[in-house]
Amino acid sequence: MPVAIYFHPPTLNEKQYRAVVDQLESDGAWPPAGLVHHSCFGEGDGLMVYEVWESQDVLDAFGQRLMPVLQQHQLDPGQPQVMPVVNVLP
């Protein structure tokens, strides 16, 4: 069953976001298998991330790769919200 996750960190700007994505790309971990949709939105230091994943299992597997990268960049992901997905449009 697909799941959505919403991150609203206490602080996240575009430079920090791009540094994390760049590192994941260089590690060969971006885009990850099972990711259906990814968006980063907002402005200034208030960026947020919304993703849809094929299943909780693939989200959890990616989380194992993501969390050390966030720690390395001293980013607090806040308290992510995970919810079941009812419908996804291509």
Side-chain angles (χ1 to χ4, degrees):
M1 170 206 275
V3 295
I5 187 164
Y6 168 68
F7 292 93
H8 189 184
T11 181
L12 178 64
N13 61 46
E14 187 173 350
K15 182 178 178 183
Q16 293 168 313
Y17 168 78
R18 294 204 182 279
V20 169
V21 171
D22 289 348
Q23 182 172 344
L24 290 168
E25 284 178 341
S26 69
D27 292 346
W30 190 260
L35 180 63
V36 175
H37 171 82
H38 170 90
S39 57
C40 180
F41 56 96
E43 55 190 6
D45 287 335
L47 295 184
M48 297 159 267
V49 174
Y50 174 78
E51 296 175 334
V52 175
W53 291 83
E54 290 176 355
S55 70
Q56 183 70 50
D57 289 341
V58 292
L59 168 58
D60 292 343
F62 180 67
Q64 297 296 316
R65 298 187 90 175
L66 176 63
M67 293 310 293
V69 175
L70 294 180
Q71 290 173 347
Q72 185 177 3
H73 289 273
Q74 300 177 1
L75 286 171
D76 175 0
Q79 186 62 38
Q81 296 175 317
V82 178
M83 299 153 272
V85 172
V86 174
N87 189 23
V88 177
L89 297 174

